[in-house]
Amino acid sequence: MSYLVSLILGGVITLVAIPIVYNLGRSAQLWRVIPERTVLVYTLFGKVIGTLEEPGINLPFKCFGLRTFLVPFFGKVYTVSTTIYQHYLRNQLVNSAEGAPMGVGIWYECFISNPTAYLFENSDPVGSLSANVSTAVIKQLSNLELDVLLEDRDALSRKVREEVSPTSEQWGFTLGSTYIRKVAFRDAGMIKEIERKVVNRLRQVTASMRQDGENRVAIISSNAEKEASRRLGQAEAVRPKIVGEALSEIRENEDVAAVLFDLLDLQATLKSDGKIILNTGDSQGGAGILLNS
């Protein structure tokens, strides 16, 4: 029983003593455990004596000497996170060269690269950086043509980043990626006017495409008719020769030639406008046709 009580009492004392010892050592700056992307800034009598930024267990007195033990009484330790922050500014007001009021949304990321400057160069560095980005957006994007605002966002984003980076470095920030994510019209009348222009433009393009198609069809039809006329002309040119050769072959046989010419004579007679009289034939009983013109 006494062993069990001793075991429980030892566990309780350990659970209570470890945090107390850890906090006492931490408060006395005997050691500090630094997480990833965290920097400790040590100040003494209002001046910065150094920073610790190596993740893991650190012994401040090895870096700052005996001054470290005066920090709990006459100084302060600032904890600064250097993780990457992402911000989005909505509806930054700009006007295009055509006078259209626009709302611009810009996204940017940043991290603290100089903790000392971040703590002591500006009383509100985050707010100042946001205001600086907003000012750069208005400066770089105002009075640009509408097409440039809507299409050249990558180039405009780079200009904003170049504009803001020098000042942000002074405040301890490094500005990362910057991108203009949204450009929107703010005037309802302007939106309807642009929609009307877009619709009219689409109609013009559609009509132009239809007219181009009809022109192409007309050109093809014209070429086909031209080719057909050329072929007919060639046929008309060679027709007398072909007919003459055929008649020459027919005339070699007198009986066939006589029958052919009788048929041609009869055919011409039937096509004429004169009055046709049929008789019963001559005394030998042959048939005949008399034309009374």
Side-chain angles (χ1 to χ4, degrees), residues 211-230:
Q211 185 62 43
D212 183 67
E214 292 176 352
N215 292 339
R216 290 177 182 275
V217 170
I219 292 174
I220 294 173
S221 301
S222 178
N223 290 334
E225 292 175 355
K226 182 179 178 181
E227 181 64 18
S229 299
R230 189 177 66 81

Side-chain angles (χ1 to χ4, degrees), residues 203-275:
R203 288 175 178 172
Q204 292 175 357
V205 171
T206 303
S208 177
M209 293 174 64
R210 183 184 295 112
Q211 185 62 43
D212 183 67
E214 292 176 352
N215 292 339
R216 290 177 182 275
V217 170
I219 292 174
I220 294 173
S221 301
S222 178
N223 290 334
E225 292 175 355
K226 182 179 178 181
E227 181 64 18
S229 299
R230 189 177 66 81
R231 294 295 181 89
L232 288 174
Q234 291 178 348
E236 291 293 335
V238 301
R239 183 172 181 277
K241 179 183 177 181
I242 296 173
V243 173
E245 291 176 354
L247 291 176
S248 299
E249 293 178 359
I250 293 172
R251 287 180 63 84
E252 293 177 355
N253 190 326
E254 295 181 356
D255 295 336
V256 175
V259 172
L260 174 63
F261 286 115
D262 287 343
L263 289 175
L264 293 174
D265 183 47
L266 179 60
Q267 187 178 19
T269 302
L270 293 175
K271 288 184 177 179
S272 67
D273 297 332
K275 183 178 180 181

Side-chain angles (χ1 to χ4, degrees), residues 184-203:
F185 298 102
R186 300 183 65 253
D187 185 84
M190 183 67 69
I191 294 173
K192 292 182 179 179
E193 181 66 16
I194 292 176
E195 289 177 349
R196 187 185 65 79
K197 290 182 178 179
V198 170
V199 171
N200 290 338
R201 181 59 181 164
L202 289 175
R203 288 175 178 172

Side-chain angles (χ1 to χ4, degrees), residues 26 34 47 59 66 76 86 90 93 95 106 108 115 137 140 164 215 223 225-226 228 232 256 263 274:
R26 179 175 177 273
I34 302 178
K47 295 183 179 179
L59 303 178
L66 296 178
K76 187 175 181 181
Q86 297 181 348
R90 301 177 184 274
L93 305 181
N95 290 322
I106 183 167
Y108 65 93
V137 169
Q140 296 292 338
V164 176
N215 292 339
N223 290 334
E225 292 175 355
K226 182 179 178 181
L232 288 174
V256 175
L263 289 175

Side-chain angles (χ1 to χ4, degrees), residues 106-127:
I106 183 167
W107 170 90
Y108 65 93
E109 62 180 11
C110 62
F111 64 92
I112 299 171
S113 57
N114 188 340
T116 303
Y118 168 75
L119 289 173
F120 304 111
E121 292 294 333
N122 194 314
S123 60
D124 185 13
V126 176

